[in-house]
Amino acid sequence: MIWIGDVLVSRGEGGVYNERMLKGARIWEPYRSKLAALYHVGNGVELGPAQRVLYLGAANGTTVSHVADYTEVVYAVEFAPRPMQDLIEVARRRRNVIPIMADATRPETYAPLVEAVDLVYQDVAQPDQAAIAIRNCVFLKPGGFLILMLKTRSVDVRKDPVAVFDETIRVLEAAGFTAQESVWLAPYHQDHAAIVCVKPGIPAE
Amino acid sequence: MQSYWFGDVSEGSCVPFTGDVNAIVSRVLSLSTQLDTFIPPDWQQAAACGACTDRADYLARLQAVCIAAAERSVREHYAGKDAELLQMVRTLDEMDEVINLLSERAADWYMVRHPAFSRKYRRTPAHILVRTMREKSRGALGRVAGEIEQLAETRTALAKEVSARANDVLPNTSALIGGLVAARLMAGAGGLLPLSRLPASAIQVLGARTALFAHLKTHTPSPKHGIIFQHRRVHNAPRDIRGRVARVLAGKLAIAARLDYFRGVAVPEFLEQAQARIDAAGKGDGA
């Protein structure tokens, strides 16, 4: 990751959402982006120019644009039409963003479009977040990474966030994943946690 | 066989799909994949298939197809008759809030200028008070009052449009509960399709979110009505049977919303029976 002092940045065409610039690089704000927050509070997954990413819950393409600055290609899945209009605009200006308007709970609808990826990033606030992530790992190469952004209040408002967190890790490990890192995103985001997993298997190279 | 956006691949041989971007988009939107036997596509396959020359070309072509597909999906989503009604209702409700907020503020301001003024013991309707403030105030206060009047006029016109549009988009629901409230229910659910999928119990308390969650969390009494309280048959009903009226009405509204979604026209037989049943509940029959 690129740091200028203690500021996380990405290198690419600016002006996507009026982001501030620093020495010609785009500042990637941890308060705005959960993935940026993960790099501030933990290790996350090092992004590189050879990586292919499946991004679920792409929203307006704000975080997507930063991920695209680092990686080879981002398959960006978003279901709602309003943010999709913005995401399409981002894709027009960035040739490595592939927008897909589809429901992330139904990967069979976009399977013919998505190649094998090195990283699945999931930021869909749904009650069955872990199950959605697992279903989408048909696209993930063996040895690839899964980053799950867990909004505990979307899973069950009445449950203790810590219980939801533990339960999610249990579900992921039962599906064969190895949890590599799990951190809360405080103080940047409340009741949000990030879980980084590795898919079992030997990477083909 | 694996079907990808660029063609069908089986046993190492590939049948390329020929057609322009539009044809590929139609193909992509109609394909459905068996996930348990699925193998992700890769660009070398596509190149062997003649669909692209190299990696950069593969991504460029795929992006063009995906942008076109997303644009088509967005267009189709907004083509639904309920999409614009949803925005109209939300605008209407926000205008109400703005008008109330501004009127309160202007009244406070007016009272500072007129220390002897009070609204107590007078039945002055809000719009008359605003008019008085406009006529009797110089400077910005007078102009603010004028703007409130303008907003109120626009609001009235918008409410008429909402009502008329709701009669068209939600004929059965509107017949039972009035166009304005029907449109608010639809907006509360997030659209006609989501409304048609709600159970009656959810329709009954739609718009009473705070009370519902307070009930679930701390066991306060459950809410008996949300948006549907705005209908006269609910708010005019005597207190002790109001919950019953709301429940029966919500039950019929759930059916009405499904008729609206799947048939799109008023169904007189249903409406007649439903009205009779709701009237009976209001009279205290049929618990």
Side-chain angles (χ1 to χ4, degrees), chain A residues 52 72 81-82 85 91-92 94 97-99 108 111-112 114-116 139, chain B residues 3 5 31 33 38 40-41 55 62-63 66-67 70-71 73-74 77-78:
Chain A
R52 300 171 187 178
E72 195 219 0
R82 182 58 253 286
Q85 286 171 286
R92 285 204 186 95
R94 281 180 151 71
V97 173
I98 314 273
E108 62 274 16
V114 181
E115 58 188 340
F139 303 108
Chain B
S3 290
W5 64 276
L31 284 176
T33 306
F38 170 71
R55 172 94 184 132
L62 175 59
Q63 194 201 39
C66 286
I67 289 180
E71 283 174 339
S73 301
V74 170
H77 183 90
Y78 289 148

PDB file of all heavy atoms in Angstrom, chain A residues 52 72 81-82 85 91-92 94 97-99 108 111-112 114-116 139, chain B residues 3 5 31 33 38 40-41 55 62-63 66-67 70-71 73-74 77-78:
ATOM      1  N   ARG A  52      -6.664  -9.423  -9.525  1.00  0.00           N
ATOM      2  CA  ARG A  52      -8.031  -9.313 -10.042  1.00  0.00           C
ATOM      3  C   ARG A  52      -8.955  -9.399  -8.839  1.00  0.00           C
ATOM      4  O   ARG A  52      -8.790 -10.270  -7.990  1.00  0.00           O
ATOM      5  CB  ARG A  52      -8.310 -10.440 -11.022  1.00  0.00           C
ATOM      6  CG  ARG A  52      -7.335 -10.387 -12.184  1.00  0.00           C
ATOM      7  CD  ARG A  52      -7.412 -11.610 -13.073  1.00  0.00           C
ATOM      8  NE  ARG A  52      -6.327 -11.521 -14.057  1.00  0.00           N
ATOM      9  CZ  ARG A  52      -6.068 -12.445 -14.966  1.00  0.00           C
ATOM     10  NH1 ARG A  52      -6.812 -13.537 -15.013  1.00  0.00           N
ATOM     11  NH2 ARG A  52      -5.082 -12.294 -15.812  1.00  0.00           N
ATOM     12  N   GLU A  72      -5.275  -4.782 -11.158  1.00  0.00           N
ATOM     13  CA  GLU A  72      -5.412  -4.896 -12.604  1.00  0.00           C
ATOM     14  C   GLU A  72      -6.855  -4.664 -13.045  1.00  0.00           C
ATOM     15  O   GLU A  72      -7.117  -3.933 -13.988  1.00  0.00           O
ATOM     16  CB  GLU A  72      -4.960  -6.283 -13.097  1.00  0.00           C
ATOM     17  CG  GLU A  72      -4.757  -6.304 -14.610  1.00  0.00           C
ATOM     18  CD  GLU A  72      -5.216  -7.590 -15.282  1.00  0.00           C
ATOM     19  OE1 GLU A  72      -5.698  -8.507 -14.597  1.00  0.00           O
ATOM     20  OE2 GLU A  72      -5.101  -7.658 -16.518  1.00  0.00           O
ATOM     21  N   PRO A  81     -30.194   0.740  -8.459  1.00  0.00           N
ATOM     22  CA  PRO A  81     -29.991   1.546  -9.662  1.00  0.00           C
ATOM     23  C   PRO A  81     -29.362   2.912  -9.398  1.00  0.00           C
ATOM     24  O   PRO A  81     -28.557   3.385 -10.204  1.00  0.00           O
ATOM     25  CB  PRO A  81     -31.394   1.683 -10.245  1.00  0.00           C
ATOM     26  CG  PRO A  81     -32.328   1.339  -9.145  1.00  0.00           C
ATOM     27  CD  PRO A  81     -31.610   0.400  -8.238  1.00  0.00           C
ATOM     28  N   ARG A  82     -29.724   3.560  -8.304  1.00  0.00           N
ATOM     29  CA  ARG A  82     -29.238   4.926  -8.058  1.00  0.00           C
ATOM     30  C   ARG A  82     -27.702   4.960  -7.953  1.00  0.00           C
ATOM     31  O   ARG A  82     -27.047   5.667  -8.720  1.00  0.00           O
ATOM     32  CB  ARG A  82     -29.946   5.464  -6.803  1.00  0.00           C
ATOM     33  CG  ARG A  82     -29.672   6.875  -6.329  1.00  0.00           C
ATOM     34  CD  ARG A  82     -29.969   7.916  -7.361  1.00  0.00           C
ATOM     35  NE  ARG A  82     -28.704   8.432  -7.873  1.00  0.00           N
ATOM     36  CZ  ARG A  82     -27.907   9.241  -7.213  1.00  0.00           C
ATOM     37  NH1 ARG A  82     -28.245   9.700  -6.038  1.00  0.00           N
ATOM     38  NH2 ARG A  82     -26.774   9.640  -7.727  1.00  0.00           N
ATOM     39  N   GLN A  85     -25.801   4.239 -11.294  1.00  0.00           N
ATOM     40  CA  GLN A  85     -25.597   5.323 -12.249  1.00  0.00           C
ATOM     41  C   GLN A  85     -24.241   5.992 -12.026  1.00  0.00           C
ATOM     42  O   GLN A  85     -23.549   6.346 -12.970  1.00  0.00           O
ATOM     43  CB  GLN A  85     -26.730   6.357 -12.119  1.00  0.00           C
ATOM     44  CG  GLN A  85     -28.038   5.867 -12.699  1.00  0.00           C
ATOM     45  CD  GLN A  85     -29.196   6.799 -12.379  1.00  0.00           C
ATOM     46  OE1 GLN A  85     -29.673   6.853 -11.266  1.00  0.00           O
ATOM     47  NE2 GLN A  85     -29.645   7.555 -13.356  1.00  0.00           N
ATOM     48  N   ALA A  91     -16.769   3.803 -14.192  1.00  0.00           N
ATOM     49  CA  ALA A  91     -16.252   2.806 -15.135  1.00  0.00           C
ATOM     50  C   ALA A  91     -15.884   3.444 -16.471  1.00  0.00           C
ATOM     51  O   ALA A  91     -14.924   3.030 -17.123  1.00  0.00           O
ATOM     52  CB  ALA A  91     -17.276   1.698 -15.338  1.00  0.00           C
ATOM     53  N   ARG A  92     -16.655   4.475 -16.860  1.00  0.00           N
ATOM     54  CA  ARG A  92     -16.344   5.132 -18.139  1.00  0.00           C
ATOM     55  C   ARG A  92     -14.974   5.788 -18.105  1.00  0.00           C
ATOM     56  O   ARG A  92     -14.313   5.930 -19.117  1.00  0.00           O
ATOM     57  CB  ARG A  92     -17.400   6.204 -18.442  1.00  0.00           C
ATOM     58  CG  ARG A  92     -18.710   5.624 -18.894  1.00  0.00           C
ATOM     59  CD  ARG A  92     -19.505   6.650 -19.717  1.00  0.00           C
ATOM     60  NE  ARG A  92     -20.827   6.101 -20.016  1.00  0.00           N
ATOM     61  CZ  ARG A  92     -21.910   6.339 -19.288  1.00  0.00           C
ATOM     62  NH1 ARG A  92     -21.835   7.159 -18.262  1.00  0.00           N
ATOM     63  NH2 ARG A  92     -23.053   5.786 -19.603  1.00  0.00           N
ATOM     64  N   ARG A  94     -12.475   4.762 -15.970  1.00  0.00           N
ATOM     65  CA  ARG A  94     -11.422   3.833 -15.536  1.00  0.00           C
ATOM     66  C   ARG A  94     -11.615   2.529 -16.270  1.00  0.00           C
ATOM     67  O   ARG A  94     -12.544   1.786 -16.016  1.00  0.00           O
ATOM     68  CB  ARG A  94     -11.534   3.597 -14.015  1.00  0.00           C
ATOM     69  CG  ARG A  94     -10.953   4.727 -13.201  1.00  0.00           C
ATOM     70  CD  ARG A  94     -11.076   4.445 -11.725  1.00  0.00           C
ATOM     71  NE  ARG A  94      -9.997   5.080 -10.978  1.00  0.00           N
ATOM     72  CZ  ARG A  94      -9.893   6.384 -10.776  1.00  0.00           C
ATOM     73  NH1 ARG A  94     -10.798   7.187 -11.279  1.00  0.00           N
ATOM     74  NH2 ARG A  94      -8.874   6.862 -10.088  1.00  0.00           N
ATOM     75  N   VAL A  97     -12.463  -0.970 -14.421  1.00  0.00           N
ATOM     76  CA  VAL A  97     -13.643  -1.198 -13.574  1.00  0.00           C
ATOM     77  C   VAL A  97     -14.755  -1.787 -14.434  1.00  0.00           C
ATOM     78  O   VAL A  97     -15.154  -1.196 -15.435  1.00  0.00           O
ATOM     79  CB  VAL A  97     -14.127   0.108 -12.910  1.00  0.00           C
ATOM     80  CG1 VAL A  97     -15.446  -0.122 -12.174  1.00  0.00           C
ATOM     81  CG2 VAL A  97     -13.075   0.642 -11.949  1.00  0.00           C
ATOM     82  N   ILE A  98     -15.229  -2.985 -14.069  1.00  0.00           N
ATOM     83  CA  ILE A  98     -16.294  -3.651 -14.811  1.00  0.00           C
ATOM     84  C   ILE A  98     -17.561  -3.606 -13.961  1.00  0.00           C
ATOM     85  O   ILE A  98     -17.673  -4.334 -12.970  1.00  0.00           O
ATOM     86  CB  ILE A  98     -15.935  -5.136 -15.085  1.00  0.00           C
ATOM     87  CG1 ILE A  98     -14.503  -5.292 -15.588  1.00  0.00           C
ATOM     88  CG2 ILE A  98     -16.966  -5.784 -16.007  1.00  0.00           C
ATOM     89  CD1 ILE A  98     -14.277  -5.170 -17.052  1.00  0.00           C
ATOM     90  N   PRO A  99     -18.522  -2.738 -14.300  1.00  0.00           N
ATOM     91  CA  PRO A  99     -19.730  -2.621 -13.469  1.00  0.00           C
ATOM     92  C   PRO A  99     -20.724  -3.733 -13.779  1.00  0.00           C
ATOM     93  O   PRO A  99     -20.949  -4.061 -14.938  1.00  0.00           O
ATOM     94  CB  PRO A  99     -20.298  -1.260 -13.887  1.00  0.00           C
ATOM     95  CG  PRO A  99     -19.877  -1.099 -15.301  1.00  0.00           C
ATOM     96  CD  PRO A  99     -18.571  -1.827 -15.459  1.00  0.00           C
ATOM     97  N   GLU A 108     -25.007 -16.772  -9.659  1.00  0.00           N
ATOM     98  CA  GLU A 108     -25.250 -17.460 -10.928  1.00  0.00           C
ATOM     99  C   GLU A 108     -25.674 -16.486 -12.029  1.00  0.00           C
ATOM    100  O   GLU A 108     -25.502 -16.774 -13.214  1.00  0.00           O
ATOM    101  CB  GLU A 108     -26.304 -18.569 -10.751  1.00  0.00           C
ATOM    102  CG  GLU A 108     -27.690 -18.126 -10.302  1.00  0.00           C
ATOM    103  CD  GLU A 108     -27.821 -18.016  -8.774  1.00  0.00           C
ATOM    104  OE1 GLU A 108     -26.762 -17.980  -8.090  1.00  0.00           O
ATOM    105  OE2 GLU A 108     -28.961 -17.958  -8.278  1.00  0.00           O
ATOM    106  N   ALA A 111     -22.177 -15.000 -13.237  1.00  0.00           N
ATOM    107  CA  ALA A 111     -21.065 -15.936 -13.406  1.00  0.00           C
ATOM    108  C   ALA A 111     -20.435 -15.894 -14.809  1.00  0.00           C
ATOM    109  O   ALA A 111     -19.208 -15.935 -14.919  1.00  0.00           O
ATOM    110  CB  ALA A 111     -21.521 -17.349 -13.050  1.00  0.00           C
ATOM    111  N   PRO A 112     -21.228 -15.789 -15.899  1.00  0.00           N
ATOM    112  CA  PRO A 112     -20.599 -15.814 -17.223  1.00  0.00           C
ATOM    113  C   PRO A 112     -19.671 -14.629 -17.502  1.00  0.00           C
ATOM    114  O   PRO A 112     -19.001 -14.598 -18.523  1.00  0.00           O
ATOM    115  CB  PRO A 112     -21.796 -15.775 -18.188  1.00  0.00           C
ATOM    116  CG  PRO A 112     -22.969 -16.200 -17.393  1.00  0.00           C
ATOM    117  CD  PRO A 112     -22.701 -15.761 -15.989  1.00  0.00           C
ATOM    118  N   VAL A 114     -17.537 -13.123 -14.889  1.00  0.00           N
ATOM    119  CA  VAL A 114     -16.470 -12.900 -13.914  1.00  0.00           C
ATOM    120  C   VAL A 114     -15.421 -14.010 -13.978  1.00  0.00           C
ATOM    121  O   VAL A 114     -15.752 -15.188 -13.805  1.00  0.00           O
ATOM    122  CB  VAL A 114     -17.056 -12.813 -12.482  1.00  0.00           C
ATOM    123  CG1 VAL A 114     -15.952 -12.551 -11.463  1.00  0.00           C
ATOM    124  CG2 VAL A 114     -18.114 -11.723 -12.413  1.00  0.00           C
ATOM    125  N   GLU A 115     -14.170 -13.625 -14.208  1.00  0.00           N
ATOM    126  CA  GLU A 115     -13.098 -14.622 -14.265  1.00  0.00           C
ATOM    127  C   GLU A 115     -12.634 -14.962 -12.846  1.00  0.00           C
ATOM    128  O   GLU A 115     -13.129 -14.414 -11.864  1.00  0.00           O
ATOM    129  CB  GLU A 115     -11.932 -14.081 -15.110  1.00  0.00           C
ATOM    130  CG  GLU A 115     -11.364 -12.790 -14.578  1.00  0.00           C
ATOM    131  CD  GLU A 115     -10.336 -12.164 -15.517  1.00  0.00           C
ATOM    132  OE1 GLU A 115      -9.782 -12.870 -16.367  1.00  0.00           O
ATOM    133  OE2 GLU A 115     -10.104 -10.957 -15.381  1.00  0.00           O
ATOM    134  N   ALA A 116     -11.675 -15.892 -12.748  1.00  0.00           N
ATOM    135  CA  ALA A 116     -11.139 -16.270 -11.442  1.00  0.00           C
ATOM    136  C   ALA A 116     -10.383 -15.071 -10.862  1.00  0.00           C
ATOM    137  O   ALA A 116      -9.613 -14.417 -11.559  1.00  0.00           O
ATOM    138  CB  ALA A 116     -10.212 -17.460 -11.589  1.00  0.00           C
ATOM    139  N   PHE A 139     -15.604 -17.861  -7.458  1.00  0.00           N
ATOM    140  CA  PHE A 139     -14.722 -17.083  -8.339  1.00  0.00           C
ATOM    141  C   PHE A 139     -13.315 -16.951  -7.778  1.00  0.00           C
ATOM    142  O   PHE A 139     -12.424 -16.455  -8.452  1.00  0.00           O
ATOM    143  CB  PHE A 139     -15.285 -15.670  -8.547  1.00  0.00           C
ATOM    144  CG  PHE A 139     -16.680 -15.647  -9.098  1.00  0.00           C
ATOM    145  CD1 PHE A 139     -17.753 -15.271  -8.307  1.00  0.00           C
ATOM    146  CD2 PHE A 139     -16.923 -15.995 -10.414  1.00  0.00           C
ATOM    147  CE1 PHE A 139     -19.037 -15.246  -8.813  1.00  0.00           C
ATOM    148  CE2 PHE A 139     -18.207 -15.974 -10.939  1.00  0.00           C
ATOM    149  CZ  PHE A 139     -19.267 -15.601 -10.143  1.00  0.00           C
TER     150      PHE A 139
ATOM    151  N   SER B   3     -21.328 -21.710 -20.479  1.00  0.00           N
ATOM    152  CA  SER B   3     -21.725 -20.563 -21.303  1.00  0.00           C
ATOM    153  C   SER B   3     -21.150 -19.287 -20.712  1.00  0.00           C
ATOM    154  O   SER B   3     -21.408 -18.964 -19.554  1.00  0.00           O
ATOM    155  CB  SER B   3     -23.248 -20.455 -21.357  1.00  0.00           C
ATOM    156  OG  SER B   3     -23.774 -21.516 -22.111  1.00  0.00           O
ATOM    157  N   TRP B   5     -19.968 -14.984 -21.597  1.00  0.00           N
ATOM    158  CA  TRP B   5     -20.493 -13.858 -22.371  1.00  0.00           C
ATOM    159  C   TRP B   5     -20.021 -13.893 -23.825  1.00  0.00           C
ATOM    160  O   TRP B   5     -20.732 -13.462 -24.729  1.00  0.00           O
ATOM    161  CB  TRP B   5     -20.107 -12.531 -21.714  1.00  0.00           C
ATOM    162  CG  TRP B   5     -18.630 -12.260 -21.665  1.00  0.00           C
ATOM    163  CD1 TRP B   5     -17.764 -12.704 -20.723  1.00  0.00           C
ATOM    164  CD2 TRP B   5     -17.858 -11.511 -22.600  1.00  0.00           C
ATOM    165  NE1 TRP B   5     -16.495 -12.277 -21.000  1.00  0.00           N
ATOM    166  CE2 TRP B   5     -16.518 -11.538 -22.142  1.00  0.00           C
ATOM    167  CE3 TRP B   5     -18.163 -10.801 -23.764  1.00  0.00           C
ATOM    168  CZ2 TRP B   5     -15.487 -10.886 -22.836  1.00  0.00           C
ATOM    169  CZ3 TRP B   5     -17.138 -10.152 -24.438  1.00  0.00           C
ATOM    170  CH2 TRP B   5     -15.821 -10.205 -23.979  1.00  0.00           C
ATOM    171  N   LEU B  31     -28.619 -15.528 -19.485  1.00  0.00           N
ATOM    172  CA  LEU B  31     -27.888 -16.724 -19.069  1.00  0.00           C
ATOM    173  C   LEU B  31     -28.079 -16.989 -17.578  1.00  0.00           C
ATOM    174  O   LEU B  31     -28.142 -16.076 -16.775  1.00  0.00           O
ATOM    175  CB  LEU B  31     -26.390 -16.559 -19.336  1.00  0.00           C
ATOM    176  CG  LEU B  31     -25.896 -16.699 -20.772  1.00  0.00           C
ATOM    177  CD1 LEU B  31     -24.403 -16.410 -20.832  1.00  0.00           C
ATOM    178  CD2 LEU B  31     -26.190 -18.078 -21.314  1.00  0.00           C
ATOM    179  N   THR B  33     -26.404 -19.831 -14.647  1.00  0.00           N
ATOM    180  CA  THR B  33     -25.329 -20.806 -14.554  1.00  0.00           C
ATOM    181  C   THR B  33     -25.569 -21.769 -13.397  1.00  0.00           C
ATOM    182  O   THR B  33     -26.061 -21.373 -12.356  1.00  0.00           O
ATOM    183  CB  THR B  33     -24.004 -20.057 -14.328  1.00  0.00           C
ATOM    184  OG1 THR B  33     -23.865 -19.073 -15.360  1.00  0.00           O
ATOM    185  CG2 THR B  33     -22.817 -21.000 -14.386  1.00  0.00           C
ATOM    186  N   PHE B  38     -19.600 -24.875 -12.219  1.00  0.00           N
ATOM    187  CA  PHE B  38     -19.114 -23.682 -12.919  1.00  0.00           C
ATOM    188  C   PHE B  38     -17.585 -23.547 -12.878  1.00  0.00           C
ATOM    189  O   PHE B  38     -16.951 -23.778 -11.858  1.00  0.00           O
ATOM    190  CB  PHE B  38     -19.758 -22.455 -12.277  1.00  0.00           C
ATOM    191  CG  PHE B  38     -19.187 -21.140 -12.720  1.00  0.00           C
ATOM    192  CD1 PHE B  38     -19.420 -20.656 -14.006  1.00  0.00           C
ATOM    193  CD2 PHE B  38     -18.423 -20.363 -11.855  1.00  0.00           C
ATOM    194  CE1 PHE B  38     -18.895 -19.444 -14.417  1.00  0.00           C
ATOM    195  CE2 PHE B  38     -17.891 -19.140 -12.255  1.00  0.00           C
ATOM    196  CZ  PHE B  38     -18.135 -18.681 -13.533  1.00  0.00           C
ATOM    197  N   PRO B  40     -14.855 -20.532 -13.914  1.00  0.00           N
ATOM    198  CA  PRO B  40     -14.826 -19.141 -14.382  1.00  0.00           C
ATOM    199  C   PRO B  40     -14.182 -19.026 -15.774  1.00  0.00           C
ATOM    200  O   PRO B  40     -13.320 -19.834 -16.118  1.00  0.00           O
ATOM    201  CB  PRO B  40     -13.976 -18.423 -13.325  1.00  0.00           C
ATOM    202  CG  PRO B  40     -14.053 -19.285 -12.117  1.00  0.00           C
ATOM    203  CD  PRO B  40     -14.169 -20.687 -12.616  1.00  0.00           C
ATOM    204  N   PRO B  41     -14.650 -18.048 -16.557  1.00  0.00           N
ATOM    205  CA  PRO B  41     -14.056 -17.841 -17.886  1.00  0.00           C
ATOM    206  C   PRO B  41     -12.630 -17.323 -17.764  1.00  0.00           C
ATOM    207  O   PRO B  41     -12.254 -16.804 -16.724  1.00  0.00           O
ATOM    208  CB  PRO B  41     -14.957 -16.765 -18.492  1.00  0.00           C
ATOM    209  CG  PRO B  41     -15.518 -16.024 -17.324  1.00  0.00           C
ATOM    210  CD  PRO B  41     -15.661 -17.044 -16.237  1.00  0.00           C
ATOM    211  N   ARG B  55      -5.186  -9.653 -23.727  1.00  0.00           N
ATOM    212  CA  ARG B  55      -5.792  -9.392 -22.418  1.00  0.00           C
ATOM    213  C   ARG B  55      -6.470  -8.019 -22.366  1.00  0.00           C
ATOM    214  O   ARG B  55      -7.603  -7.897 -21.907  1.00  0.00           O
ATOM    215  CB  ARG B  55      -4.705  -9.495 -21.341  1.00  0.00           C
ATOM    216  CG  ARG B  55      -5.139  -9.075 -19.965  1.00  0.00           C
ATOM    217  CD  ARG B  55      -5.614 -10.245 -19.147  1.00  0.00           C
ATOM    218  NE  ARG B  55      -6.115  -9.821 -17.861  1.00  0.00           N
ATOM    219  CZ  ARG B  55      -7.277 -10.216 -17.345  1.00  0.00           C
ATOM    220  NH1 ARG B  55      -8.046 -11.073 -17.991  1.00  0.00           N
ATOM    221  NH2 ARG B  55      -7.664  -9.795 -16.166  1.00  0.00           N
ATOM    222  N   LEU B  62     -15.202  -6.690 -22.646  1.00  0.00           N
ATOM    223  CA  LEU B  62     -16.061  -7.082 -21.519  1.00  0.00           C
ATOM    224  C   LEU B  62     -16.644  -5.842 -20.841  1.00  0.00           C
ATOM    225  O   LEU B  62     -17.822  -5.791 -20.498  1.00  0.00           O
ATOM    226  CB  LEU B  62     -15.257  -7.911 -20.516  1.00  0.00           C
ATOM    227  CG  LEU B  62     -15.981  -8.301 -19.226  1.00  0.00           C
ATOM    228  CD1 LEU B  62     -17.232  -9.123 -19.533  1.00  0.00           C
ATOM    229  CD2 LEU B  62     -15.058  -9.102 -18.308  1.00  0.00           C
ATOM    230  N   GLN B  63     -15.795  -4.811 -20.676  1.00  0.00           N
ATOM    231  CA  GLN B  63     -16.292  -3.595 -20.016  1.00  0.00           C
ATOM    232  C   GLN B  63     -17.410  -2.947 -20.836  1.00  0.00           C
ATOM    233  O   GLN B  63     -18.420  -2.513 -20.285  1.00  0.00           O
ATOM    234  CB  GLN B  63     -15.152  -2.604 -19.784  1.00  0.00           C
ATOM    235  CG  GLN B  63     -15.569  -1.516 -18.804  1.00  0.00           C
ATOM    236  CD  GLN B  63     -14.734  -0.263 -18.891  1.00  0.00           C
ATOM    237  OE1 GLN B  63     -14.361   0.164 -19.978  1.00  0.00           O
ATOM    238  NE2 GLN B  63     -14.437   0.328 -17.749  1.00  0.00           N
ATOM    239  N   CYS B  66     -20.517  -4.875 -20.238  1.00  0.00           N
ATOM    240  CA  CYS B  66     -21.058  -4.703 -18.883  1.00  0.00           C
ATOM    241  C   CYS B  66     -21.652  -3.319 -18.672  1.00  0.00           C
ATOM    242  O   CYS B  66     -22.682  -3.176 -18.000  1.00  0.00           O
ATOM    243  CB  CYS B  66     -19.977  -4.990 -17.843  1.00  0.00           C
ATOM    244  SG  CYS B  66     -19.639  -6.753 -17.699  1.00  0.00           S
ATOM    245  N   ILE B  67     -21.017  -2.289 -19.221  1.00  0.00           N
ATOM    246  CA  ILE B  67     -21.583  -0.942 -19.093  1.00  0.00           C
ATOM    247  C   ILE B  67     -22.937  -0.894 -19.806  1.00  0.00           C
ATOM    248  O   ILE B  67     -23.927  -0.396 -19.253  1.00  0.00           O
ATOM    249  CB  ILE B  67     -20.611   0.126 -19.649  1.00  0.00           C
ATOM    250  CG1 ILE B  67     -19.412   0.275 -18.712  1.00  0.00           C
ATOM    251  CG2 ILE B  67     -21.317   1.464 -19.817  1.00  0.00           C
ATOM    252  CD1 ILE B  67     -18.380   1.296 -19.156  1.00  0.00           C
ATOM    253  N   ALA B  70     -25.506  -2.779 -17.704  1.00  0.00           N
ATOM    254  CA  ALA B  70     -25.897  -2.037 -16.505  1.00  0.00           C
ATOM    255  C   ALA B  70     -26.816  -0.873 -16.875  1.00  0.00           C
ATOM    256  O   ALA B  70     -27.805  -0.611 -16.195  1.00  0.00           O
ATOM    257  CB  ALA B  70     -24.654  -1.530 -15.773  1.00  0.00           C
ATOM    258  N   GLU B  71     -26.481  -0.205 -17.981  1.00  0.00           N
ATOM    259  CA  GLU B  71     -27.335   0.907 -18.417  1.00  0.00           C
ATOM    260  C   GLU B  71     -28.742   0.412 -18.740  1.00  0.00           C
ATOM    261  O   GLU B  71     -29.735   1.044 -18.381  1.00  0.00           O
ATOM    262  CB  GLU B  71     -26.730   1.598 -19.648  1.00  0.00           C
ATOM    263  CG  GLU B  71     -25.580   2.508 -19.300  1.00  0.00           C
ATOM    264  CD  GLU B  71     -24.874   3.075 -20.528  1.00  0.00           C
ATOM    265  OE1 GLU B  71     -24.989   2.479 -21.626  1.00  0.00           O
ATOM    266  OE2 GLU B  71     -24.204   4.103 -20.391  1.00  0.00           O
ATOM    267  N   SER B  73     -30.227  -2.269 -17.501  1.00  0.00           N
ATOM    268  CA  SER B  73     -30.908  -2.656 -16.264  1.00  0.00           C
ATOM    269  C   SER B  73     -31.425  -1.435 -15.506  1.00  0.00           C
ATOM    270  O   SER B  73     -32.533  -1.442 -14.979  1.00  0.00           O
ATOM    271  CB  SER B  73     -29.965  -3.444 -15.356  1.00  0.00           C
ATOM    272  OG  SER B  73     -29.513  -4.599 -16.005  1.00  0.00           O
ATOM    273  N   VAL B  74     -30.608  -0.379 -15.455  1.00  0.00           N
ATOM    274  CA  VAL B  74     -31.035   0.847 -14.772  1.00  0.00           C
ATOM    275  C   VAL B  74     -32.271   1.420 -15.471  1.00  0.00           C
ATOM    276  O   VAL B  74     -33.260   1.775 -14.826  1.00  0.00           O
ATOM    277  CB  VAL B  74     -29.895   1.892 -14.751  1.00  0.00           C
ATOM    278  CG1 VAL B  74     -30.415   3.242 -14.273  1.00  0.00           C
ATOM    279  CG2 VAL B  74     -28.751   1.429 -13.864  1.00  0.00           C
ATOM    280  N   HIS B  77     -35.318  -0.570 -14.733  1.00  0.00           N
ATOM    281  CA  HIS B  77     -35.787  -0.364 -13.369  1.00  0.00           C
ATOM    282  C   HIS B  77     -36.619   0.918 -13.253  1.00  0.00           C
ATOM    283  O   HIS B  77     -37.666   0.944 -12.616  1.00  0.00           O
ATOM    284  CB  HIS B  77     -34.610  -0.296 -12.406  1.00  0.00           C
ATOM    285  CG  HIS B  77     -35.028  -0.163 -10.974  1.00  0.00           C
ATOM    286  ND1 HIS B  77     -35.245  -1.247 -10.159  1.00  0.00           N
ATOM    287  CD2 HIS B  77     -35.330   0.929 -10.235  1.00  0.00           C
ATOM    288  CE1 HIS B  77     -35.641  -0.826  -8.981  1.00  0.00           C
ATOM    289  NE2 HIS B  77     -35.685   0.492  -8.988  1.00  0.00           N
ATOM    290  N   TYR B  78     -36.142   1.974 -13.881  1.00  0.00           N
ATOM    291  CA  TYR B  78     -36.839   3.250 -13.782  1.00  0.00           C
ATOM    292  C   TYR B  78     -38.081   3.314 -14.664  1.00  0.00           C
ATOM    293  O   TYR B  78     -38.890   4.226 -14.547  1.00  0.00           O
ATOM    294  CB  TYR B  78     -35.900   4.407 -14.153  1.00  0.00           C
ATOM    295  CG  TYR B  78     -34.842   4.667 -13.108  1.00  0.00           C
ATOM    296  CD1 TYR B  78     -33.587   5.135 -13.471  1.00  0.00           C
ATOM    297  CD2 TYR B  78     -35.103   4.458 -11.759  1.00  0.00           C
ATOM    298  CE1 TYR B  78     -32.607   5.376 -12.523  1.00  0.00           C
ATOM    299  CE2 TYR B  78     -34.129   4.690 -10.811  1.00  0.00           C
ATOM    300  CZ  TYR B  78     -32.890   5.153 -11.199  1.00  0.00           C
ATOM    301  OH  TYR B  78     -31.932   5.392 -10.260  1.00  0.00           O
TER     302      TYR B  78
END
